[in-house]
Amino acid sequence: MADSKLQVLFDQVVDRNPGEAEFHQAVREVFDSLAPVVAKHPEYTDAAVLQRLCEPERQIIFRVPWTDDRGDVRINRGFRVEFNSALGPYKGGLRFHPSVYLGIVKFLGFEQIFKNALTGLPIGGGKGGSDFDPKGRSDAEVMRFCQSFMTELYRHIGEYTDVPAGDIGVGGREIGYLFGQYKRITNRYESGMLTGKGLTWGGSQVRREATGYGTVFFVEQMLSAAGDSFDGKRVVVSGSGNVAIYAMEKVAQLGGTVVAFSDSSGYVVEEAGIDLATLKEVKEVQRGRAADYVERRPDAAMGSGGSIWDVPADIALPCATQNELDEAEARVLVRNGCRIVAEGANMPTTPAAVRVLADAGVLFAPGKAANAGGVATSALEMQQNASRDSWTFEYTEERLEEIMRGIHDRCLATADEYGLPGDYAAGANIAGFTHVADAMLALGVI
Ligand code: NDP
């Protein structure tokens, strides 16, 4: 790290949070951009803003017992990390995936602070989840798990306190069961305590689409700043969950062609373009695998060997999970002429891969900027809940587009201000950090 004071602080974070590699990675990525900021603003150091930012305000870990369909009792671990509430109630999703442990939740919660700050909306940062794996579980099992999870979580959350949403493994079905149990326990129809709700019970238009659409709106701005557009571009999108599917949809609407997607079982290539109706049927209705898509599409094939990043593309959108695009894969992207990488997922590109892209002049949009459309639209859902109103799809999408344009411009302007033109990652880190740091200074040492 260039700045010795930041290096000391980072070493303290590693010492205080042993074994949490993803959290260390997320902190380092932000600290790497902050040397010029702490040099210009000694008041941040004097008030220990960085140390406070790296220490969550509250961390909750709890037992989640539930009974499977055979009658056996299962135990999972639940988490909610309430990281920073300087700007508003904690806000951030819940992830249900077997890889979830405290280090993953803390990395996601830490990222969320800056992402939420970048949106300019009044939301703090938090994240939660469980090592529960919904894959292969019946609806009844998922419901019992969600009910047990909420039976503990409910006492820590609320419209003015902490507002969870979905993430990997938590979609509309899970949000429904979680909301139902909260309502039952509290006897309150408190719509604003959870976002990603169904449209007939307090949800917002465009929330389902928001993260994917927002990522693509962000890329549209990057293209436009370079005098270009999506027209005729080949795009590769990893994942085939909520973010990936709606990123693909918006790319197609803007004139690009998505030629490949993936899930954890492999990747699929279809040169003429992935058929979204089929993909939605396989993934959203049947909860099937990549091979089920290939079975229905004669011109599609499973990729053989390597990874999805071997498929030549002008634009790559990693939309699956953390550290899914490594240094060697970044070199392949560069060799194949890729010009833009934008993160729909959180931290999908390893630090070494980011360096390869930067050295090759590939434009890189970090997740905390590019995928902020999801949480931004969650904040719009809270706004509609508070006013007991519901907006049209068109109006909500316009608001999303405007927010993404604002984030894009803020990243570029901040990068310029600090002498780093075109560096979206530095712009996002610095703009997010200063926004939340100024609020922390104003609120005193708490
Ligand atoms: P989903 O659960 O809907 O989809 C996740 C997709 O990624 C699936 O296709 C899944 O494949 C794949 N995937 C997950 N883990 C792995 C893994 N370890 N290896 C390979 N593939 C994997 O999640 P979302 O689309 O909601 O989230 C995707 C990413 O976007 C995450 O990083 C999330 O934090 C981020 N994000 C999500 C937001 C949202 O609004 N949902 C907002 C902002 C960021 P399989 O089904 O085979 O596991």
Side-chain angles (χ1 to χ4, degrees):
M1 210 169 284
D3 185 286
S4 60
K5 266 195 233 147
L6 287 169
Q7 182 67 54
V8 170
L9 293 182
F10 177 69
D11 292 343
Q12 285 170 2
V13 170
V14 173
D15 282 349
R16 283 173 69 77
N17 302 277
E20 297 176 359
E22 296 83 359
F23 177 49
H24 305 162
Q25 184 182 334
V27 171
R28 183 171 190 125
E29 198 269 327
V30 172
F31 277 24
D32 273 341
S33 304
L34 294 185
V37 186
V38 292
K40 193 169 163 188
H41 295 283
E43 65 273 23
Y44 296 147
T45 315
D46 295 345
V49 166
L50 278 163
Q51 290 97 316
R52 285 192 278 145
L53 262 173
C54 293
E55 190 69 29
E57 290 175 12
R58 192 173 299 109
Q59 306 183 56
I60 302 141
I61 303 180
F62 51 101
R63 180 173 70 202
V64 190
W66 57 284
T67 307
D68 69 17
D69 285 346
R70 291 173 31 191
D72 292 334
V73 175
R74 305 271 181 159
I75 307 293
N76 285 100
R77 190 169 285 173
F79 302 90
R80 186 74 185 165
V81 173
E82 298 180 332
F83 229 116
N84 193 292
S85 60
L87 296 174
Y90 311 103
K91 183 88 197 84
L94 298 170
R95 175 176 293 191
F96 292 169
H97 192 271
S99 63
V100 168
Y101 76 106
L102 190 58
I104 292 274
V105 181
K106 279 165 70 176
F107 118 63
L108 290 164
F110 187 74
E111 288 273 298
Q112 199 83 45
I113 302 171
F114 306 99
K115 179 189 309 192
N116 294 4
L118 270 177
T119 66
L121 298 164
I123 38 179
K127 200 83 187 188
S130 173
D131 56 1
F132 171 71
D133 187 358
K135 217 174 283 163
R137 291 283 166 205
S138 69
D139 286 353
E141 288 177 318
V142 171
M143 181 179 76
R144 288 194 291 275
F145 174 81
C146 289
Q147 290 177 340
S148 180
F149 186 86
M150 186 53 83
T151 300
E152 172 58 33
L153 188 68
Y154 89 95
R155 67 189 87 243
H156 308 289
I157 62 176
E159 183 179 350
Y160 297 107
T161 318
D162 182 357
V163 184
D167 191 81
I168 291 178
V170 178
R173 172 182 62 173
E174 290 75 16
I175 292 291
Y177 295 147
L178 291 165
F179 183 68
Q181 184 71 351
Y182 182 90
K183 186 177 82 60
R184 177 193 198 190
I185 295 173
T186 60
N187 194 31
R188 283 163 65 89
Y189 206 107
E190 189 187 331
S191 301
M193 53 60 68
L194 200 65
T195 59
K197 299 182 293 294
L199 291 178
T200 54
W201 40 279
S204 171
Q205 297 283 358
V206 194
R207 177 59 190 91
R208 183 182 54 175
E209 295 83 358
T211 309
Y213 277 22
T215 302
V216 175
F217 284 142
F218 194 94
V219 175
E220 193 186 21
Q221 291 301 311
M222 297 169 89
L223 284 162
S224 156
D228 205 345
S229 78
F230 262 105
D231 219 18
K233 297 286 183 302
R234 273 173 70 92
V235 184
V236 162
V237 180
S238 66
S240 46
N242 174 263
V243 178
I245 285 179
Y246 292 95
M248 295 186 221
E249 184 162 283
K250 188 48 78 182
V251 167
Q253 287 173 11
L254 295 178
T257 305
V258 178
V259 293
F261 74 88
S262 64
D263 67 13
S264 57
S265 67
Y267 66 99
V268 172
V269 183
E270 188 171 2
E271 284 293 331
I274 301 298
D275 184 73
L276 266 180
T278 308
L279 185 62
K280 284 184 183 177
E281 173 70 22
V282 167
K283 286 292 178 184
E284 295 185 336
V285 182
Q286 294 174 345
R287 297 179 190 275
R289 314 300 297 149
D292 298 319
Y293 175 89
V294 172
E295 225 168 70
R296 289 149 178 250
R297 300 281 304 168
D299 293 333
M302 292 298 295
S304 52
S307 79
I308 188 168
W309 312 118
D310 293 339
V311 181
D314 302 304
I315 297 168
L317 305 179
C319 294
T321 193
Q322 64 277 353
N323 293 328
E324 54 159 318
L325 199 180
D326 67 18
E327 184 178 2
E329 292 162 333
R331 288 191 198 289
V332 177
L333 282 176
V334 169
R335 202 178 315 130
N336 286 337
C338 179
R339 290 182 38 217
I340 294 182
V341 173
E343 298 185 324
N346 286 311
M347 211 169 72
T349 320
T350 65
V354 174
R355 277 193 294 276
V356 168
L357 299 174
D359 290 347
V362 175
L363 289 177
F364 172 72
K368 58 173 77 69
N371 71 36
V375 75
T377 309
S378 276
L380 301 183
E381 182 173 332
M382 292 162 72
Q383 204 174 318
Q384 292 167 77
N385 293 150
S387 59
R388 300 189 189 283
D389 194 2
S390 67
W391 306 341
T392 63
F393 192 96
E394 292 70 25
Y395 176 70
T396 318
E397 191 181 15
E398 257 170 47
R399 292 285 310 264
L400 168 64
E401 196 171 357
E402 184 187 304
I403 290 168
M404 296 315 296
R405 205 177 308 126
I407 297 174
H408 173 272
D409 294 352
R410 215 164 295 140
C411 289
L412 275 193
T414 308
D416 276 349
E417 185 187 334
Y418 283 86
L420 300 159
D423 188 337
Y424 285 94
N429 285 335
I430 296 172
F433 170 75
T434 51
H435 195 61
V436 73
D438 288 342
M440 289 173 73
L441 285 182
L443 300 186
V445 178
I446 55 171

